[in-house]
Amino acid sequence: MPSRPVSPLWNSLALDRAAARSLQDQIVDYFRAGVLEGRLKAGTRVPSSRALAGDHGIARITAVQAYERLVAEGYLAARPGSGLFVAESHSERPLKPAVSTVRRAPPRRRAPALEARLPALAMSPRPDERLALATGIPALDQFPWSDWARITARLHRERPLDALGHGDPQGERDLREAIAEHLGAARGITCAAEQILVVAGSQQGIDLAARALARPGDAIWTEEPGYPVGRAALDAAALERVPIPVDTEGLDVAAGVKRAPAARLALVTPSHHYPLGYTMSLRRRLALLDWAERADAWILEDDYDGEYRYGGRPLAPLYSLDRGHRVLYLGTFSKVLAPGLRLGYLVVPAGAVDAFAALKAASDRHAPSLTQRVLARFIGEGRLAAHLRRMRGLYARRRRALLDALGREAAGVLHASEAPEAGLHLVARLAVPADDVAASRRALEKRVYAAPLSTYFAESEREHGFVLGFANTPEEAMAPAVRRLVEAIAEAGPRDLGRPRRMQGNSTAWRRTA
Ligand SMILES: Cc1ncc(COP(=O)(O)O)c(C=O)c1O
């Protein structure tokens, strides 16, 4: 094909030196748009990099690199000895002017038939970090950005090539050592770095344990009420959940032995039951360990917020009592730093590490190496311990402020218990026969996230109330948030007694099924 002359279009290339986009990006954008919109026809010769640079007073290398990108993306093609031309393929079918590159939602189609059993994910709507009283979220505005940025910058300047390839499925050695030290100091746990598996938050820990320790169809004890998101992982692994009631002493082990003596696994939160907050008594702990030993079963201890105690002595984890190596300990950085990091850890018996690492590798190879290294240094420099010290003080004040606000603004409507002084949330039970799901939905419209307590129950007689987070809500915002929640309760009206409910997996708001 004969080549067309150099297009006068270049004259309209206007480079803005003050713009946020680099000059190279602006050149690439300009040519891409010209080709896609059909203004630059196939075969049109583009000016040489020298001419482009000269005409626009830019460094030649900028023009060369912009052209290299356009060639790599197929917009331009080189003809030996003749220069660069607009390539054929792109200009044959000029696209509509790119008014917007934002993709619209595809039209609704029937869902494809999937083999997977869909977990009943009772996490909708997701706790939004901007909503007052959102549960499960630490104080995100207190994230230690400056230390994190300093450590990240230093690490990146070192250009650690070995962190760019595939890493160890078990996790970065430095991070595992730092976690072992953190566990000793913060939770009194003695373990070796070799026993630690770095996972993508507790959620992946539950998933891996469910798949490593049980077979599809095996029974697993879960707390009733309990952590709905954890339940979803068990459903995805096709385990048979057996809800075991929880009272003020924690999981009722005798009830578990009665209902499913041969269960393979028990998922428990002994330090701070989720969501009711009870601490499992020593009597029950020993009974649970005894059952696991006799039944040849495993216990997965989810110690999601064990670092936070504001009064009394911190309680040793179940893991420390275990002599038979039946307990796997699950920890997370979601509460001590931020859930968005997606980093947590499992402490497993030394003999089981390889199997867990193999499962982790099969799932997602390993956690991001650079982030792991930053976190390892963050812990190693004592920054995590310092951050935790500061957050304990802040959360104790926020917890007090929420309890005071509930006492003042919701007297006779909500009842929150003072104990235990721990964690990042508390439970406020309804003292009136209101509908917690409907009230929660109303509260969302008022920018308050009040998770309905009844939805934490999988099957048993439900209690009604709210699980309220205090860590990410400033003290001065507590009273207005509680006032709005009380309004929402009044607007929602009385509950329809005798009508069962449960959460729907893919809902965008709290939903009820009859
Ligand atoms: C009982 C329980 N376990 C674990 C977690 C933390 O989950 P992840 O580490 O997956 O963010 C939470 C967070 O809300 C929780 O409530």
Side-chain angles (χ1 to χ4, degrees), residues 124-379:
S124 275
R126 186 175 62 84
D128 181 326
E129 49 288 342
R130 287 158 307 185
L131 297 177
L133 307 183
T135 47
I137 303 178
L140 297 183
D141 62 343
Q142 302 292 319
F143 185 81
W145 285 117
S146 58
D147 282 323
W148 195 265
R150 174 180 53 77
I151 294 169
T152 303
R154 198 192 313 139
L155 177 70
H156 286 190
R157 276 197 300 274
E158 292 167 15
R159 300 182 178 221
L161 280 188
D162 58 331
L164 297 182
H166 286 123
D168 183 349
Q170 203 184 333
E172 293 281 313
R173 171 98 212 167
D174 288 356
L175 179 58
R176 288 188 282 115
E177 277 171 4
I179 290 171
E181 248 174 59
H182 165 72
L183 279 178
R187 302 297 290 126
I189 284 182
T190 311
C191 70
E194 285 72 23
Q195 288 176 260
I196 292 175
L197 180 86
V198 177
V199 291
S202 312
Q203 194 63 17
Q204 189 180 46
I206 298 172
D207 173 52
L208 294 182
R211 290 190 291 122
L213 305 175
R215 293 206 183 91
D218 279 351
I220 169 164
W221 293 3
T222 53
E223 294 172 325
E224 176 76 338
Y227 181 42
V229 189
R231 285 204 293 262
L234 305 177
D235 288 353
L239 300 193
E240 214 44 64
R241 285 189 279 110
V242 185
I244 309 296
V246 166
D247 60 24
T248 53
E249 282 195 67
L251 186 94
D252 183 346
V253 179
V257 173
K258 217 166 176 182
R259 278 202 74 177
R264 295 291 305 132
L265 185 62
L267 173 57
V268 288
T269 51
S271 298
H272 188 223
H273 171 259
Y274 191 77
L276 300 180
Y278 302 127
T279 303
M280 189 184 255
S281 67
L282 181 62
R283 196 163 66 106
R284 289 271 176 85
R285 288 172 188 237
L286 294 173
L288 184 60
L289 291 171
D290 185 48
W291 162 75
E293 199 65 51
R294 279 185 290 114
D296 195 21
W298 297 96
I299 300 165
L300 180 55
E301 176 177 25
D302 179 3
D303 197 32
Y304 61 104
D305 65 1
E307 286 91 349
Y308 297 111
R309 281 245 147 205
Y310 313 114
R313 275 194 321 127
L315 239 135
L318 184 65
Y319 182 89
S320 311
L321 263 187
D322 177 26
R323 297 278 169 264
H325 308 295
R326 294 269 142 207
V327 179
L328 285 83
Y329 179 91
L330 178 60
T332 179
F333 290 99
S334 290
K335 313 287 179 189
V336 293
L337 278 171
L341 287 176
R342 299 318 300 141
L343 283 174
Y345 45 92
L346 269 171
V347 184
V348 304
V353 161
D354 287 347
F356 273 86
L359 268 181
K360 167 82 178 157
S363 173
D364 63 351
R365 292 237 193 202
H366 60 84
S369 307
L370 287 169
T371 316
Q372 289 189 68
R373 291 193 190 185
V374 172
L375 181 55
R377 292 186 186 187
F378 184 83
I379 300 172

